Amino acid sequence: MRLEDLFHDTLKDIYFAERQILKALPKMAKAADDPKLKDGFMRHREETQGQVERLQQVFEIIGKRAQGKTCEAIQGLIEECDELLEEATEPGPVRDAGLIACGQAVEHYEMARYGALIAWGKALGNAEIVKLLEETLEQEKQADALLTQIAMPVNKLAKAA
Ligand code: FE
Ligand code: FE
Ligand code: ZN
Ligand code: FE
């Protein structure tokens, strides 16, 4: 296997993952009680649409068809989120605290994948690809940072609940 192949496989993995996330975020927003959290999930959904488009551009640059490959990791993370919503049935700060943790697990997975793709894109000497992926990585980092911020008051309310 060449580094180009590893890059292509991982691109398919994150392409699959982003499209799953696109479906999961509205459910997470709907379940969120805190308006800032709801809004944060919905805004990130909009960003995610742009991220899918960037990935399609990367597929085009490497001369491959945009195609996903089942990502067990993202399926597992989304399943954990579904489990949380089954167990924490009451809307409120405790369920929100759990949703934030689920969201951050997803952002961290994405950061790990984009980090690897960027490093390989650099090694392969493709600046155009690196630039596209770095734009997305920055959005994932911001989404994670926003969740950390929202968590502070939510966790306090959760403790008092
Ligand atoms: Fe994403
Ligand atoms: Fe994956
Ligand atoms: Zn995977
Ligand atoms: Fe994200």
Side-chain angles (χ1 to χ4, degrees), residues 9-10 12-14 16-17 69-75 109 113:
D9 275 358
T10 305
K12 290 198 269 187
D13 178 276
I14 194 69
F16 176 92
K69 177 180 178 280
T70 305
C71 170
E72 311 273 357
I74 203 70
Q75 284 183 333
Y109 177 70
R113 283 290 174 252

Side-chain angles (χ1 to χ4, degrees), residues 7-134:
F7 182 93
H8 183 214
D9 275 358
T10 305
L11 193 67
K12 290 198 269 187
D13 178 276
I14 194 69
Y15 187 60
F16 176 92
E18 290 289 14
R19 286 183 305 165
Q20 295 301 116
I21 294 164
L22 214 46
K23 287 193 261 176
L25 281 168
K27 287 192 271 175
M28 292 165 80
K30 192 166 177 260
D33 186 51
D34 183 286
K36 279 187 186 151
L37 183 57
K38 229 180 230 302
D39 187 65
F41 283 144
M42 283 319 285
R43 280 178 197 226
H44 195 52
R45 188 188 187 271
E46 271 173 49
E47 283 180 337
T48 301
Q49 273 168 329
Q51 295 176 355
V52 166
E53 282 163 28
R54 268 186 221 115
L55 289 174
Q56 288 164 345
Q57 290 180 54
V58 174
F59 277 109
E60 208 176 306
I61 293 166
I62 65 169
K64 305 276 186 193
R65 181 165 80 85
Q67 186 187 18
K69 177 180 178 280
T70 305
C71 170
E72 311 273 357
I74 203 70
Q75 284 183 333
L77 292 174
I78 292 171
E79 207 175 297
E80 284 189 354
C81 187
D82 291 339
E83 277 171 31
L84 165 79
L85 296 178
E86 277 166 33
E87 284 159 32
T89 50
E90 244 181 278
V94 175
R95 186 157 86 162
D96 281 358
L99 279 169
I100 290 169
C102 286
Q104 287 191 292
V106 169
E107 296 314 316
H108 290 194
Y109 177 70
E110 295 182 289
M111 280 154 61
R113 283 290 174 252
Y114 283 110
L117 285 168
I118 288 164
W120 297 334
K122 283 179 182 165
L124 293 167
N126 197 321
E128 197 185 358
I129 284 176
V130 169
K131 191 174 172 280
L132 284 165
L133 298 174
E134 277 177 343

